[in-house]
Amino acid sequence: MTTPHNSDRQLDRWADWLVHGRDRGATDTQLRRRHRALARVRDRVLREARLRRGQRVVDLGAGTGLLALEARRRVKRSGYVVAVDISADALFECRRQAAEPAEDVAPLACVVGDALHIPVASASVDVVTTRSVLIYLADKPAGARELFRVLKPNGRASIFEPINELTEQVQHKVLASGFYDELQPEWGEIRKYYDARKEGWWGTLVGWDERELIAWFEAAGFSDIQVSYEVVSGLKARKPTRDDIAAGIRGRPNPNMPSYEEVAREVLGDRADDYLSRYARLLLERGAPRTASACVYLVATR
C-alpha cells in the first residue's frame, strides 16, 4: 500500500478539481450553497449505510474526505475507516483535516488505491461508501464486483452516483431550439471543439443509467438492492445573477474537462473576451435554459 505525501509539485487533476477547479469564480455565498448540497449527499449516504460504533468502513474514492471524515465520527474510536483514492494529493488534504483534534473518532488510514483493485482483504469490512466513483470507471461491472469482494457477509454498500443521460437529452433539446443562435459563428466553433473531445471528457460519464447500475450490482452477487432515483428538472427557481453566470463559465464541470472560459480562449483566441461578454449577457437577459439532472442513491447488502 502507498501512503500519500506532501509535495510542492502541481496538484494532480483529481485534487486540483476538488480543491480549485469546480469552484473557480465562485463567491462565498455560492461556496456555502455547494457545501450544503455536498453535506446533504454525505449525510444521506452515511445514514443509509447504517453505520454503528466499532464498524470497519472503506470510503472508496474518498477525495479530500467528505464521507470518510464524518464516518469516523459515527463509528467512534472502536471503529476504523480506510479512505481510498487514486489521488495522493487529495488524500493529503484528507489527512490534514483528520489531524484536527477531535474526541471519540475512529482511526483513519489514507491509502492510494484503484477502485478496481481496492487495497484491502476480501470479506474484511462492514461497510463500503462511495460518492461519484463508478461514474469514472470504464469497467463499472468490475467496480461493483470489487465492492462485493471486500465486504463481509451481510456487509452493506451505500453509494451515490449522478446519472447524466437525462442531462444529455435536455441539452440536445436546448441546442435544437436555437437558444444560442445569436452567438454564431463562435458558438458553432466551440461546439465543434467540444464534440471532437466528447469521448475523452464524457466517455464513462454517459451511456448508462440506473437500470444498468442495478443490473451490475445484481450480477456481482448483492442482495436486497434498494434504489432511489431522483430528478431535478425544469427552469431554475430563480433568475441567474451575474455571479452565478461567472461561476458557471469559470468552473470546471468535472476533473476531465476545462472550464467553458478556458475552451473559449483556446478556440477563439483574441475573440474570446467579446464572445464571453455576449454569452454572459444572453444568459443574464434570457435566463438560463431549461436544465435537468438526475442521481441515484443505491444501498445493497452482500
Side-chain angles (χ1 to χ4, degrees), residues 188-244:
E189 296 174 45
I190 289 173
R191 289 309 309 173
K192 287 181 181 178
Y193 187 91
Y194 273 99
D195 290 343
R197 291 156 180 80
K198 181 177 180 179
E199 182 59 31
W201 287 351
W202 287 96
T204 67
L205 281 64
V206 295
W208 57 280
D209 60 22
E210 72 283 357
R211 293 167 296 183
E212 282 89 354
L213 188 64
I214 294 168
W216 297 329
F217 274 75
E218 289 177 338
F222 283 97
S223 62
D224 190 23
I225 301 169
Q226 302 175 35
V227 171
S228 176
Y229 176 73
E230 298 188 356
V231 176
V232 177
S233 181
L235 295 174
K236 290 192 174 181
R238 60 181 179 81
K239 190 174 181 179
T241 65
R242 292 183 186 276
D243 287 338
D244 292 331

Side-chain angles (χ1 to χ4, degrees), residues 13 35 69 77 122 132 187 214 226 230 236 242 274:
R13 67 185 173 100
H35 292 163
L69 295 173
R77 189 178 300 276
S122 298
S132 303
W187 173 260
I214 294 168
Q226 302 175 35
E230 298 188 356
K236 290 192 174 181
R242 292 183 186 276
D274 176 68

